[in-house]
């Protein structure tokens, strides 16, 4: 039986923490990041490591799947330590942090390794994660050092 692709909808800060957990260790090319200002939409296509498959069994293969991360009702987007001209660079996803701003909007920071950040300010939390196509095998399983 073919596993179903993951689709998550986030409308609260707690929902964002769930989306962030599923995206841990994803990688994204700078070329696959888009801010559609007119539409108030921010999009990223990531290669997501399927941690949920690894958790299901000892003998499962490590896999990745393409997924779309979409933010709606976006007011502003800015970034730090990301060279938008280097389209072939890859970013390693770490987490999404959220907080409410003084003017009651939501600030969501997408944090990558190497102190790279994309900061999105939105009127409301309306975020979707939507897997696309088939997963593929990968030899490398992300490793984390314990502090």
């Amino acid at each position: 039986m073919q596993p179903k692709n993951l689709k998550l909808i986030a409308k609260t800060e707690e929902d964002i923490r769930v989306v962030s957990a599923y995206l841990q260790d994803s990688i994204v090319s700078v070329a696959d990041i888009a801010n559609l200002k007119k539409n108030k939409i921010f999009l990223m296509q990531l290669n997501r490591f399927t941690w949920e498959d690894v958790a299901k069994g000892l003998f499962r293969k490590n896999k990745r799947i393409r997924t779309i991360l979409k933010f709606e009702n976006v007011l502003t987007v800015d970034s730090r330590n990301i060279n938008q001209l280097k389209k072939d660079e890859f970013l390693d996803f770490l987490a999404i942090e959220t907080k409410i701003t003084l003017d009651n909007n939501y600030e969501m920071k997408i944090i990558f390794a190497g102190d790279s950040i994309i900061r999105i300010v939105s009127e409301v939390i309306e975020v979707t994660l939507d897997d696309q196509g088939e997963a593929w095998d990968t030899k490398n399983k992300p490793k984390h050092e314990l502090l």
Side-chain angles (χ1 to χ4, degrees):
M1 185 166 124
Q2 189 71 7
K4 288 191 173 189
N5 284 358
L6 186 65
K7 180 166 185 156
L8 301 175
I9 299 171
K11 296 206 176 262
T12 67
E13 290 180 78
E14 184 160 327
D15 293 344
I16 289 289
R17 285 191 287 277
V18 172
V19 168
S20 179
Y22 274 99
L23 287 172
Q24 183 178 353
D25 298 311
S26 293
I27 52 175
V28 60
S29 167
V30 171
D32 291 332
I33 300 172
N35 181 22
L36 309 176
K37 288 181 187 177
K38 268 188 178 175
N39 301 58
K40 293 185 166 186
I41 291 173
F42 178 83
L43 294 168
M44 292 175 50
Q45 178 178 270
L46 304 103
N47 292 336
R48 184 175 73 79
F49 188 82
T50 57
W51 283 109
E52 67 275 17
D53 285 348
V54 173
K56 288 178 188 173
L58 218 45
F59 302 107
R60 298 239 176 188
K61 291 183 177 179
N62 297 324
K63 293 187 178 285
R64 286 197 178 270
I65 190 165
R66 288 203 204 305
T67 195
I68 303 293
L69 181 63
K70 178 181 178 184
F71 294 77
E72 297 189 60
N73 298 297
V74 172
L75 299 172
T76 62
V77 176
D78 53 58
S79 65
R80 181 175 75 200
N81 295 329
I82 298 172
N83 186 340
Q84 297 172 28
L85 299 176
K86 293 188 176 179
K87 300 289 187 191
D88 58 343
E89 279 193 345
F90 283 87
L91 304 169
D92 297 322
F93 179 95
L94 297 177
I96 302 173
E97 294 179 353
T98 61
K99 74 176 186 180
I100 297 177
T101 63
L102 293 175
D103 53 359
N104 287 324
N105 288 317
Y106 290 91
E107 178 186 82
M108 294 170 274
K109 289 183 178 176
I110 305 170
I111 301 168
F112 301 96
D115 197 33
S116 297
I117 295 174
I118 296 174
R119 181 180 158 271
I120 298 168
V121 177
S122 183
E123 299 170 296
V124 295
I125 294 175
E126 196 167 337
V127 177
T128 56
L129 179 153
D130 192 3
D131 286 349
Q132 307 288 306
E134 301 285 324
W136 66 90
D137 294 343
T138 181
K139 293 177 188 170
N140 300 324
K141 178 180 176 183
K143 292 184 176 111
H144 299 274
E145 294 198 18
L146 298 175
L147 299 177

